[in-house]
Each structure stands twice: as structure tokens, then as C-alpha cells.
Amino acid sequence: MSVRRVMGVEVEYGISVQGQPLANPMVASSQVVNAYASATVRARRARWDFEEESPLRDARGFEMSRQAADPAQLTDEDMGLANVILTNGARLYVDHAHPEYSTPEVTSPLDIVKWDKAGEQVMLDAQRRASQLPGGSPIALYKNNTDNKGASYGTHENYLMRRSTPFADIVRHLTPFFVSRQVIVGSGRVGIGQDGREHGFQVSQRADYFEVEVGLETTLKRPIINTRDEPHADPEKYRRLHVIIGDANLSEVSTYLKVGTTALVLSMIEDRFITRELSIDGPVSALRAVSHDPTLRQLITLADGRTLTGIQLQLEYLDLARKFVEDRYGNNADAQTVDVLARWESVLDRLERDPMLCARELDWVAKLKLLEQYRQRDGLEWSDAKLQLIDYQYSDIRPEKGLYHRLLGMGRMERLLDDASITAAMHDPPEDTRAYFRGRCLEKYAENVAAASWDSVIFDLPGRESLQRVPTIDPLRGSRAHVGELLDRSETAEALFSALTRSR
Amino acid sequence: MAQEQKQPRKSSETEEATEVATESDVAERKEALDDDIDAILDEIDDVLESNAEDFVKSFIQKGGQ
């Protein structure tokens, strides 16, 4: 009923080996992940436990056969690619041909920002270490979603939802929200069309790569609403909504609003609060049309014939969310919910007047402002390679090279967190989810953890024949409040395990 | 381009003092803004990859999720 819920984000980073455009990206990605693992993970390296993975289960109630699936969909097979679980509860691994960081489970938008930014720092550290390997070449990582030549890679959000909410309600009420939220949370892109064949600027990195309204795929025929049904929690009670339509954001405010506003809309859907009909006539083409108009005047035609801009559609959701929070909490809503609502209203108001008023907060506006300044100073056409370069380099995660980071360094981007809290989150887990148990176990008993995943920690204990699996099926158990004291006083993994099994 | 706009032009000697003040205020703000943008672009110039065409050509990624 607020912005708070169990959630996480996953980011696939663009990768290039400098001076070697033909270098194998899987090898380079493995070098990045392994360099970080070798330098930071003590003792044995825990495997990923694939037991609870089911990437072919569809939220609409059926399962795709393994034979019918594209090999890229079989994400539950251990391909021998680099894969490491960090003490902050996150997963760092190679997915397809990109290094990927999945945040630990958190419960608020600000914590998403914190552990996502910590992931950027992990990647930065990893890339520096990989570049220093004997015979290694400098590797650069980009927090973006396309090469503007036809390839796209994802930034996914995950939200734990009640199983009792009909999936059709999610599709109906979330689709118009996703088509329009890009006016706030897009990261901006130079190039129109999947392979960038047209010159120009658009609001979103990802819009041109979405081809269907609903579906299970994530690498081809990408759907606005993804139906992967792999809850990593009790499937009777929960589903995990796997959102594949967002852009990778550098701006802290963009990430915060992306997750905060989406969490609010999901609460309204669960509580059946949305009674307005906002369905769009042709959402896939509307998604692209909205992205292709940075003046934000593009009209979207609703199924009932009304026409609204992306901003106006967002204002409909904002209005509903304000009423919803007022109805449920009166004046007693939590601080982050109040803050998300205020910021949501403020950016929509300014985007309506002049998008440039949001240049300190939103990625696409910050990027466009910089591009327009270059166009003006140097008289550049949109076809100029320099503008394309600025688009890529905005997302370079190195503070000395990345243009987002240069703007940040010049005090041109608003921040929500300080460096110290982000650095701490590279190592420390969130305290209010099962990520706390996972992270602390890896930190304290690394030599006895054989494997782990979102839903388990598997111990290899001296004197015991078989591995001992501790399920962590409830995302809100295993928090500091539940097991902090137990972890503090258990000197060994054996002591911890004995105490856990005794108390059951 | 920016240079042209830096000098406030007075259309006549008979302008009201307040108007002159307002006009030069605007000009000063505009000048400060131009200097500010120049400073940003100068710093960005320093870190941009040197050969944009080569860089763009070689930025090739494999598709992901």
C-alpha cells in the first residue's frame, strides 16, 4: 500500500575490450567477474544453486517445453560461466555475453538505488582488476541497453506480488503505465530504429526493441509485460513480476522514481483501486511514438477514443496514487511514499512546461541537454558520430571517462545518497530481507558455503556426509531482526546450522 | 554564436534607466550562462574519446535479455 515491497534490479552491462572490437565478449565478461571474485571472495567460491529456477514457467498458467525454447531461455542450466555470490547478498555473473549484477532483495526504492549504485562500483572495481591481469587489455563497461546497431541487453526490475492478483489485471493496468513512464525514466538514445538507421534523439534506450504486448521471451519478440513466473518465494502466496522494459539509469533520481512509482501502481493493482479505463489502442506502436518525441507532445489514443500525452497519462496514475495513499494512510504515509509522490508530481509539472527543467534529475534530459549544447556550439547534425559517442560515453561507468559521472562531478546532477553509503553497500547486505542471512553467511562462513541462491544457502559441514540445504523461501525472513543475534554468536557454520535445525 | 549575444545593445539614448538595468541584468545572466556552458563543454571535451568515428564503429555488442 506504499512504495515498500520486496524488490530488486538486474543490469547487464555493455562491454568492450579497448582496441579489440572483435574480442570475445563472453571471455571478457568472465574475466571481469572472475577478477572480482578472485580478489574479494575468501576461501572456496560458492556455486549458484539452480534447484528453484524455472524460466519457462508462464504466469498465465502453463509451462513451455524445453525443446520449444530458444537456448537463450534456458537460464537454469549451469553453463560453467563465471558466477559469484557477494557478501552484500548480490549475484555477479555472466549472462549471455554481458557481465550482470543483480541486487540483493530490498524493500524500498532508496535501497534499490543504493544497492544498484553499489553494483556499479563492483563492476568498476572488477573492470579495473581485469584490466590489470597479465596480458589483459583495458576493458570498459557501459551501463546502457543498446549498441545502436541492432543489439539490446536488459535492465530488469523484479517485484514480489500477491499470487491472488489476477495476471490479466496486471496486464491491463500496467501496460499504459509502462508505455508512458519512459517520459520520466528513459535514459535517452541517439538513433531511431533497432539498428539506428534513422538519425535523431529519442527518450528511451529500449522502446524500439519491444515487439509484443505480453509474452515469456526476453531476448527476442520482447514483450511489454513479461510473463516469467519464477517467484523465488512460496508460489502459493507470491508471484515475482519480472519487468524487462526499463532502461539502465545512471541518475539516482531516475532509478528511484522508476521503482517507486511502479511499486505504487502495483499496490493499487493488488488492492483493485484502479477503476479508470486507461487501456491503449496499440500499446507497442504507442511506446515507440512516445519515445520518438522528446518534446513530449505525442498523443496516445486510448481504447475508448480519448487522446492523451505521455505526461497526461502519467498524471492519471499520479492522481490515482495520491487518492490511494490518502485513502489508506491519511496523513500517516511513510516518508519515502510521500517523497516519491512529491517528486513524481514535481517532475511531471516541469516536464509539461519545459523538459529541460529536469536536467539535474532525469537521465534522458541530462543527456539531451548536453547533446543540444554540442549541436549548438559545434553546429552538429544528428548524424554526426560525435553525438553517438556522447550517447555511449554518458554510460561509461569510469568516473574519469563517463559523461554522467563528469556531470555529477561538476555538481550538475542531483544525488540521493553519499559515496560512503554506496561503498558500504558493496560489502554489506540489506538488513530487512533474507539477503542479510545469505550475505552474512558468505562473509562469516565462506569456507563452508558450497552453494547459494535467492532461495537457499547450502552448507558443506565437517563430519557430515551430505550437503545441508537451508531454504530461504520467505524473502522477509532471515533479516537482521530474525537471525542477526544468532549469526553474531555462532562462531562456526556448524554452530549456526545446529542452532537453526534445533529451533525448527 | 554565443559571442554575438554577449553585448547588450541599446536601441536609443532615451531609454528609461530601469529598462536599461533590466536589459543588462538579462544580458549578464545570459553571459554567465554561456560561460557556464562553455566550462561544461570544455571539461567534457577533455574526456571524450578522441576518434568519434572509430569509436562508434567499434562499439558492437551481442544481444542480451
Side-chain angles (χ1 to χ4, degrees):
Chain A
M1 271 155 279
S2 66
V3 295
R4 306 190 72 86
R5 84 174 41 236
V6 175
M7 49 198 178
V9 297
E10 329 157 29
V11 181
E12 296 176 11
Y13 286 73
I15 183 165
S16 67
V17 182
Q18 299 195 308
Q20 297 175 40
L22 300 178
N24 182 331
M26 288 168 105
V27 172
S29 298
S30 296
Q31 284 171 347
V32 167
V33 172
N34 283 327
Y36 190 81
S38 306
T40 59
V41 178
R42 289 178 300 113
R44 74 191 283 171
R45 200 195 296 179
R47 284 186 307 105
W48 187 256
D49 174 22
F50 284 95
E51 186 172 315
E52 297 290 337
E53 308 252 319
S54 44
L56 302 180
R57 194 168 302 150
D58 196 299
R60 291 165 294 185
F62 51 86
E63 185 142 3
M64 189 184 225
S65 83
R66 298 188 78 84
Q67 290 74 27
D70 186 270
Q73 286 178 270
L74 302 176
T75 54
D76 56 344
E77 285 182 6
D78 193 343
M79 308 292 281
L81 292 173
N83 196 339
V84 51
I85 307 143
L86 307 181
T87 57
N88 69 357
R91 182 184 183 196
L92 175 69
Y93 61 119
V94 179
D95 194 2
H96 301 279
H98 300 272
E100 174 161 344
Y101 170 91
S102 299
T103 67
E105 306 89 327
V106 301
T107 63
S108 76
L110 199 57
D111 278 352
I112 287 277
V113 178
K114 192 199 280 190
W115 272 277
D116 177 58
K117 280 285 160 191
E120 264 177 67
Q121 294 305 307
V122 165
M123 285 291 186
L124 179 65
D125 191 83
Q127 132 189 347
R128 284 178 175 157
R129 290 180 192 280
S131 300
Q132 288 161 2
L133 293 174
S137 301
I139 291 173
L141 298 179
Y142 298 83
K143 197 183 186 196
N144 65 0
N145 304 103
T146 177
D147 64 359
N148 201 45
K149 297 176 182 69
S152 183
Y153 31 101
T155 301
H156 299 175
E157 302 144 60
N158 298 288
Y159 302 91
L160 198 70
M161 292 188 72
R162 289 181 214 150
R163 174 65 65 180
S164 55
T165 301
F167 200 74
D169 286 2
I170 298 174
V171 173
R172 178 167 159 216
H173 299 304
L174 206 51
T175 303
F177 177 74
F178 280 167
V179 167
S180 56
R181 75 171 184 169
Q182 56 181 323
V183 302
I184 299 173
V185 301
S187 280
R189 175 181 167 204
V190 174
I192 315 279
Q194 294 194 353
D195 58 3
R197 64 181 59 191
E198 283 175 61
H199 301 301
F201 179 87
Q202 63 173 311
V203 170
S204 156
Q205 289 262 304
R206 288 277 270 177
D208 287 350
Y209 299 96
F210 282 75
E211 299 174 82
V212 299
E213 294 177 28
V214 183
L216 184 58
E217 283 85 1
T218 55
T219 57
L220 48 136
K221 288 188 289 175
R222 292 187 185 89
I224 293 173
I225 305 286
N226 183 248
T227 55
R228 181 181 296 182
D229 191 0
E230 203 180 23
H232 298 308
D234 181 351
E236 299 291 317
K237 282 202 282 193
Y238 300 112
R239 71 169 82 252
R240 171 180 62 123
L241 185 72
H242 186 232
V243 175
I244 69 168
I245 197 171
D247 286 2
N249 291 118
L250 276 300
S251 160
E252 295 178 8
V253 177
S254 289
T255 298
Y256 178 71
L257 282 177
K258 175 170 68 182
V259 174
T261 60
T262 303
L264 269 171
V265 171
L266 295 179
S267 279
M268 293 196 287
I269 294 172
E270 283 179 333
D271 275 22
R272 307 201 169 193
F273 191 80
I274 305 180
T275 48
R276 289 178 207 177
E277 188 48 68
L278 297 169
S279 294
I280 294 172
D281 181 23
V284 174
S285 54
L287 176 74
R288 295 181 189 187
V290 169
S291 182
H292 294 176
D293 177 24
T295 69
L296 308 185
R297 300 286 162 224
Q298 173 67 42
L299 291 172
I300 300 165
T301 305
L302 304 193
D304 65 10
R306 280 186 296 159
T307 53
L308 299 177
T309 64
I311 295 172
Q312 287 165 341
L313 197 42
Q314 281 290 301
L315 284 167
E316 292 278 337
Y317 282 97
L318 169 66
D319 181 52
L320 283 164
R322 280 216 171 281
K323 292 187 165 114
F324 176 66
V325 172
E326 167 72 29
D327 181 70
R328 297 297 192 272
Y329 296 103
N331 293 323
N332 297 316
D334 68 284
Q336 269 191 59
T337 300
V338 172
D339 186 52
V340 165
L341 284 169
R343 284 178 180 275
W344 193 3
E345 181 166 339
S346 170
V347 296
L348 287 175
D349 172 57
R350 282 175 289 143
L351 286 171
E352 183 93 76
R353 285 186 280 140
D354 176 5
M356 285 303 147
L357 297 171
C358 296
R360 294 176 58 82
E361 290 141 273
L362 305 182
D363 279 317
W364 77 266
V365 185
K367 188 185 280 182
L368 179 58
K369 185 175 180 184
L370 189 58
L371 290 161
E372 288 292 7
Q373 287 167 348
Y374 264 93
R375 276 161 52 77
Q376 204 177 349
R377 189 192 71 177
D378 299 347
L380 305 178
E381 297 294 329
W382 280 113
S383 57
D384 198 286
K386 195 166 186 177
L387 299 180
Q388 190 71 60
L389 169 66
I390 289 168
D391 182 357
Y392 295 143
Q393 209 176 322
Y394 181 87
S395 67
D396 188 324
I397 64 170
R398 292 172 294 182
E400 68 277 14
K401 289 297 272 185
L403 304 189
Y404 163 78
H405 285 285
R406 295 319 314 141
L407 291 173
L408 189 71
M410 288 184 267
R412 307 284 159 172
M413 297 300 297
E414 189 173 327
R415 293 200 71 172
L416 302 173
L417 298 167
D418 55 43
D419 286 340
S421 67
I422 292 168
T423 304
M426 291 171 71
H427 309 286
D428 299 338
E431 297 187 347
D432 53 359
T433 67
R434 63 190 173 193
Y436 180 80
F437 179 73
R438 182 188 317 125
R440 287 285 316 269
C441 284
L442 284 158
E443 186 248 338
K444 191 163 182 177
Y445 318 111
E447 59 278 14
N448 297 112
V449 179
S453 70
W454 307 121
D455 356 61
S456 70
V457 176
I458 297 177
F459 292 97
D460 183 359
L461 300 170
R464 292 182 191 249
E465 281 284 306
S466 55
L467 298 176
Q468 305 295 322
R469 187 171 194 271
V470 176
T472 53
I473 199 73
D474 185 340
L476 291 172
R477 292 192 65 85
S479 65
R480 180 171 186 177
H482 285 126
V483 295
E485 195 261 332
L486 177 63
L487 285 158
D488 287 343
R489 80 176 133 85
S490 300
E491 289 304 320
T492 63
E494 175 64 41
L496 172 75
F497 185 76
S498 302
L500 280 172
T501 41
R502 256 203 315 278
S503 64
R504 270 197 210 144
Chain B
M1 220 162 34
Q3 293 299 326
E4 294 171 5
Q5 293 160 337
K6 282 184 183 172
Q7 295 303 320
R9 286 189 311 256
K10 291 183 190 170
S11 52
S12 85
E13 295 289 332
T14 59
E15 275 176 0
E16 294 280 333
T18 50
E19 278 180 22
V20 174
T22 309
E23 197 176 313
S24 67
D25 275 0
V26 170
E28 270 172 35
R29 277 205 300 274
K30 173 84 178 125
E31 189 167 351
L33 206 62
D34 287 344
D35 287 349
D36 189 42
I37 292 171
D38 289 345
I40 294 174
L41 297 195
D42 283 350
E43 182 164 341
I44 300 288
D45 282 339
D46 288 343
V47 302
L48 272 185
E49 301 287 345
S50 50
N51 191 329
E53 295 230 357
D54 277 2
F55 186 90
V56 169
K57 230 176 273 174
S58 66
F59 191 84
I60 299 165
Q61 300 291 315
K62 288 255 193 265
Q65 295 221 46

